[in-house]
Amino acid sequence: MSSGSGKRVVVTGATGNVGTSVVRLLAEDPEVESVVGLARRFPDRTPPKTEWSTVDLSAEEGGLARVFEGADAVVHLAWAFQPTHDPAVTWRTNVLGSLRVFEAVAAANVPALVHASSVGAYSPGPEEERAVDESWPTHGWPDAAYCREKAYLERALDTFERDHPRTRVVRMRPAFLFKRESASEQRRIFGGRFLPGPIARPELLPFLPDVPGLRVQALHTEDAAEAYRLAVRTDVRGPFNLAADPPVDVELLAEMFDARPVRLPRTAARSAIAAAWRLHLLPASPHLFDAVLRLPLLDCTRARVELGWRPQRTATEVLEEFLHGMRAGAGAPTEPMRGRKVG
């Protein structure tokens, strides 16, 4: 059911992995008249019907409401993953910056707010292996800053919805998002500058660590962006799980790499990650590793039924594309997504 909204859409975090895809799809939508992309630095290219505005949410003390005036929807994607050694810095951007966005949406009377939550907002999954729907608790894993921040914003949105019932709030809770162009950015964020992209070649990985309980879901960024576009245009509210099949485990990866799984105890894997993290060799923290081991699998029935959304790529296809991007040093013409060979 079309709500008639979406003529002017503001997107925060517009130059990142998800933002570049969301901006492009909105710009291609004939029912969207204009898109305003907010980012700390302007990209090298501008899609049709799009204008840019420089905003640093970690330092923004005012003026967002003026940017949001006249918007039919705000899609809030901005997020900082680093520095993991200083969670106060990410808290300033991710939590305090998001609260500024929510306050500005209310001040500008924007009809719709579409917020990027995450599978990381969910509490640990059930002991039996089953997918959970959107009613599963969203208390996160408290030891991981990423999950703690996502869960905190879920509570903030509970209050926002109570205080501003006329604003339509949508919460997207996607699995891990990948595309070819995000390969260099995500290698830097999670693997660090010492992780070479060519290591993703099958011939260089004869063995893969098999950590008990390590199983996640993946989704192509373009498929997630389509869900955001549908949420802007459709009169829906509430949370939506987003993921593609099949779940990613060591058996699937071993088949992709033609490698042999080698059992590695959780404690050994965590100790290795913790040591590399303490030495600043690995940006991804051991606390995030703890959280990933406890993530639930997502049931995406609500997105299929109410949004009419279905992923166009399997998780296997997503990972194959992403790995090709890692080998090639792929990127995009924005500062967050710069690649080794862009241009």
Side-chain angles (χ1 to χ4, degrees):
M1 177 175 61
S2 175
S3 67
S5 65
K7 290 184 179 180
R8 180 175 185 267
V9 184
V10 180
V11 181
T12 74
T15 58
N17 176 22
V18 184
T20 49
S21 291
V22 169
V23 167
R24 184 183 62 79
L25 289 184
L26 288 173
E28 293 174 354
D29 190 323
E31 293 193 15
V32 174
E33 293 181 2
S34 65
V35 180
V36 180
L38 306 188
R40 288 188 299 162
R41 295 173 293 270
F42 284 177
D44 294 338
R45 299 175 189 170
T46 301
K49 301 189 296 186
T50 302
E51 59 184 276
W52 301 103
S53 180
T54 54
V55 172
D56 183 353
L57 294 180
S58 66
E60 182 70 20
E61 295 298 334
L64 270 180
R66 290 194 298 273
V67 178
F68 292 171
E69 284 178 2
D72 295 286
V74 168
V75 178
H76 179 43
L77 305 171
W79 196 265
F81 291 93
Q82 295 177 357
T84 57
H85 288 85
D86 191 352
V89 174
T90 57
W91 183 270
R92 252 193 325 267
T93 297
N94 299 336
V95 174
L96 301 185
S98 293
L99 295 179
R100 293 186 188 107
V101 169
F102 303 162
E103 292 165 0
V105 166
N109 295 312
V110 180
L113 167 64
V114 184
H115 170 69
S117 188
S118 167
V119 62
Y122 279 119
S123 301
E127 291 185 5
E128 69 276 16
E129 290 192 356
R130 63 177 177 85
V132 305
D133 64 17
E134 291 81 359
S135 65
W136 193 254
T138 52
H139 304 306
W141 179 249
D143 203 30
Y146 175 84
C147 302
R148 193 165 59 242
E149 291 162 359
K150 290 292 188 183
Y152 186 95
L153 291 174
E154 290 276 353
R155 302 291 75 75
L157 285 174
D158 291 343
T159 303
F160 181 92
E161 287 185 298
R162 182 199 66 195
D163 295 343
H164 306 283
R166 297 179 64 181
T167 302
R168 183 172 63 87
V169 177
V170 179
R171 315 179 196 196
M172 293 300 188
R173 297 175 184 159
F176 292 94
L177 301 177
F178 303 99
K179 62 182 178 184
R180 186 181 190 277
E181 296 84 355
S182 72
S184 292
E185 177 195 29
Q186 289 173 314
R187 178 181 60 83
R188 290 190 295 267
I189 289 174
F190 300 110
R193 64 185 185 276
F194 297 111
L195 178 67
I199 199 173
R201 296 184 182 279
E203 62 269 19
L204 298 181
L205 291 172
F207 305 102
L208 284 177
D210 180 8
V211 180
L214 185 57
R215 185 172 70 162
V216 298
Q217 287 170 294
L219 180 66
H220 198 285
T221 307
E222 292 283 314
D223 286 330
E226 173 63 7
Y228 279 95
R229 186 189 71 84
L230 291 170
V232 167
R233 290 187 46 176
T234 308
D235 189 17
V236 294
R237 293 173 178 257
F240 290 91
N241 291 343
L242 305 174
D245 288 325
V248 179
D249 55 18
V250 70
E251 285 79 16
L252 187 148
L253 291 173
E255 184 177 345
M256 289 178 59
F257 282 98
D258 193 22
R260 182 165 66 89
V262 175
R263 182 54 62 101
L264 181 65
R266 284 188 179 188
T267 52
R270 192 191 191 282
S271 296
I273 292 171
W277 181 71
R278 283 194 296 269
L279 292 171
H280 291 256
L281 300 176
L282 185 70
S285 76
H287 314 295
L288 185 60
F289 174 76
D290 294 337
V292 169
L293 288 174
R294 294 165 171 83
L295 292 178
L297 296 178
L298 301 180
D299 180 337
C300 303
T301 301
R302 184 168 191 249
R304 291 197 301 270
V305 173
E306 298 191 28
L307 280 179
W309 174 86
R310 282 176 173 77
Q312 299 302 303
R313 306 154 184 87
T314 66
T316 306
E317 292 169 335
V318 171
L319 290 179
E320 287 174 345
E321 177 183 320
F322 177 75
L323 291 172
H324 280 295
M326 278 193 66
R327 296 165 200 157
T334 72
E335 183 60 26
M337 297 183 66
R338 69 185 186 280
R340 294 200 311 271
K341 299 181 180 179
V342 170

